[in-house]
Amino acid sequence: LFMAEAQSGNALAMHDLGRMFADGLGQEADEAQAREWYAKALAAFLAVEAAKPNRYVEYRIGKMYAAGLGTEHKVDCPEGAREGGLGRDYAAAADWLMKSARQDYQYAQYSLAGLYYRGQGVGQDFEKAHQLYMASSEHGFPYAAYELGKMYRDGVGCEQSPELSDDYFSAAFWGFQTLEKRGHDDKLQYRIGWMLFHGIGTAKDEAAAHKWFERSAAVGNAHAQYQLAKLILANLESDAKKLSFALEWLTKAAEAGQDSAQYALGKAYRDGQGVEKDALLAAVWFRKAAEQGNGFAAYALGKLLLDGGDGLPRDIPAAVEWLRYSVEAGNPFAQYWLGKLLLQLLRLLGAALKLAGQDGQVGLLGLDVLRQRRRLLPQGIQSQLPLAHLLPQRLRLGVELFLSIRR
């Protein structure tokens, strides 16, 4: 049906076909086919707009440029760019969304507000974002009301007001429920559950939140699957059967790419929580989460690689890199631990130099270490410094760590 409509020139059907090929809905995922249909959809929307300007079509064109769908051209800004520099064009997106927003189209107002809030394609302007969210919210769009709730809560783009924040969060909560009744969307189901769980815009109700998460998880929402697993694992009264269900949900969410679930699954394999301990699998899941920017996973991976064992080889250079990454991500545990490690290494080096003064051969090693302190020794210090065996094992490890950190 979609194919027939798309082949007849229906731009909306072309776009939906692109999404179906991208997500593997109704057939196997095919990125090349998805790109082709998205490109056809964008061309069709542009043709419709050229024939007769329309605020809805302008909005759809803006959204496609913002998402990098069908926009097969070079993008100057690396943000969101895919392979070959192809991808999102926020400046073009802003232009098209402005055309639609000026005609009081609430969806364009909401999307344009997000660009101003994040400074994408336009200069960052929180006050302008607030104005656009207000305009969209006045049409009853609950997503705009939710953003206003956050802005009044934090005093961003407006004066802080807990009362107005509560009012907008409440309007968003009831608006989401109204939208969900129309379409039973899993993202809305998750959002409603999340607001119930945290008591935002409504009274806190964990039992009701659990039901909404179950609805959303059942149709594949990875965030809901992760939240369900968290609720079960945090409940001390959960029996073995429930814990098994929790791990199933956690695995599904992790396999779908949810980074928090990947981190939690890594911890389960590391600690043997509900599964047999497996340091290799723990490292795999920590790495997947860390590569998505999860600083806690980077910290856990760094510590795991630093210790090694249980079939996982020690990799000190990689361990230090992941710890550094976690520090840069703002993880206070990594900051404290790496700082403590550096202090310990300074003491170890002091001991090494003291030992060096007592033995001519080891003295040569101490000088060599100091000369190479900015080099990384990927094969380990023993392969690079033939006299390293003269140092006690603890000092050798300390020197290797120091060289890795000072790279």
Side-chain angles (χ1 to χ4, degrees), residues 82-203:
R82 297 192 299 272
E83 184 179 354
L86 302 175
R88 299 183 175 104
D89 187 337
Y90 290 118
D95 288 341
W96 284 104
L97 291 171
M98 281 180 191
K99 291 181 181 181
S100 181
R102 291 192 188 108
Q103 299 171 67
D104 204 27
Y105 195 52
Q106 65 266 37
Y107 305 114
Q109 291 166 337
Y110 172 78
S111 296
L112 183 60
L115 295 184
Y116 273 108
Y117 191 96
R118 296 182 295 273
Q120 294 171 323
V122 291
Q124 190 172 51
D125 189 333
F126 294 127
E127 291 185 3
K128 182 67 174 177
H130 180 268
Q131 292 171 7
L132 286 162
Y133 281 136
M134 284 288 289
S136 180
S137 178
E138 287 171 0
H139 289 283
F141 192 48
Y143 290 95
Y146 185 84
E147 294 302 320
L148 286 170
K150 292 196 296 183
M151 295 184 84
Y152 279 112
R153 179 195 64 196
D154 302 332
V156 176
C158 57
E159 289 188 17
Q160 194 172 33
S161 174
E163 294 80 11
L164 284 173
S165 176
D166 289 343
D167 287 345
Y168 279 109
F169 276 137
S170 180
F173 178 75
W174 294 110
F176 290 145
Q177 287 198 313
T178 300
L179 288 179
E180 196 281 329
K181 288 176 182 176
R182 297 175 188 167
H184 304 296
D185 180 82
D186 64 282
K187 297 182 182 66
L188 280 170
Q189 291 164 348
Y190 167 72
R191 190 181 283 257
I192 293 167
W194 188 90
M195 294 181 78
L196 282 163
F197 182 74
H198 292 281
I200 295 177
T202 184

Side-chain angles (χ1 to χ4, degrees), residues 35 51 56-57 92 128 140 172 201-202 232 257-258 310 357 367 383 397 400 403 407:
R35 286 199 303 269
Y56 172 72
V57 174
K128 182 67 174 177
T202 184
I232 296 171
Q258 217 278 354
D310 295 330
L367 290 174
S383 65
L397 176 59
E400 189 175 351
L403 291 172
R407 183 178 66 174

Side-chain angles (χ1 to χ4, degrees), residues 206-371:
E206 290 190 15
H210 194 282
K211 292 179 181 178
W212 281 104
F213 288 147
E214 282 185 329
R215 289 189 198 178
S216 182
V219 290
N221 188 290
H223 300 296
Q225 291 168 344
Y226 168 63
Q227 287 295 337
L228 268 182
K230 271 185 66 176
L231 286 174
I232 296 171
L233 293 172
N235 187 349
L236 298 177
E237 297 180 359
S238 294
D239 56 23
K241 186 176 181 180
K242 288 182 179 179
L243 289 175
S244 178
F245 279 134
L247 285 167
E248 285 182 20
W249 286 125
L250 202 59
T251 302
K252 286 181 179 180
E255 289 174 346
Q258 217 278 354
D259 69 289
S260 295
Q262 292 169 340
Y263 169 54
L265 192 57
K267 289 197 297 180
Y269 279 111
R270 181 195 64 191
D271 303 334
Q273 184 184 19
V275 292
E276 188 174 341
K277 277 189 176 184
D278 190 324
L280 288 172
L281 273 177
V284 166
W285 288 113
F286 283 148
R287 185 183 184 93
K288 287 180 181 290
E291 287 175 343
Q292 294 194 70
N294 190 308
F296 293 103
Y299 170 63
L301 179 58
K303 290 193 68 178
L304 200 63
L305 290 171
L306 193 61
D307 296 333
D310 295 330
L312 180 71
R314 175 186 285 155
D315 188 339
I316 291 174
V320 171
E321 285 303 308
W322 284 115
L323 289 171
R324 277 177 171 169
Y325 183 88
S326 184
V327 168
E328 291 169 1
N331 185 340
F333 299 104
Q335 292 166 353
Y336 169 78
W337 200 87
L338 196 55
K340 183 179 178 181
L341 179 62
L342 282 168
L343 289 174
Q344 291 173 343
L345 296 183
L346 288 174
R347 294 192 188 101
L348 288 171
L349 284 172
L353 291 174
K354 185 177 180 181
L355 179 62
Q358 300 171 5
D359 187 301
Q361 284 186 310
V362 182
L364 292 174
L365 169 64
L367 290 174
D368 203 10
V369 167
L370 290 176
R371 289 192 193 102

Side-chain angles (χ1 to χ4, degrees), residues 5 8 11 16 18 27 40 46 55 73 114 195 225 230 261 267 285 297 300 322 349-350 359 362 401 404:
E5 282 293 315
S8 71
D16 287 341
Q27 68 275 308
K40 289 180 178 179
L46 288 168
R55 66 178 190 174
H73 59 276
M195 294 181 78
Q225 291 168 344
K230 271 185 66 176
K267 289 197 297 180
W285 288 113
W322 284 115
L349 284 172
D359 187 301
V362 182
L401 276 166
S404 297

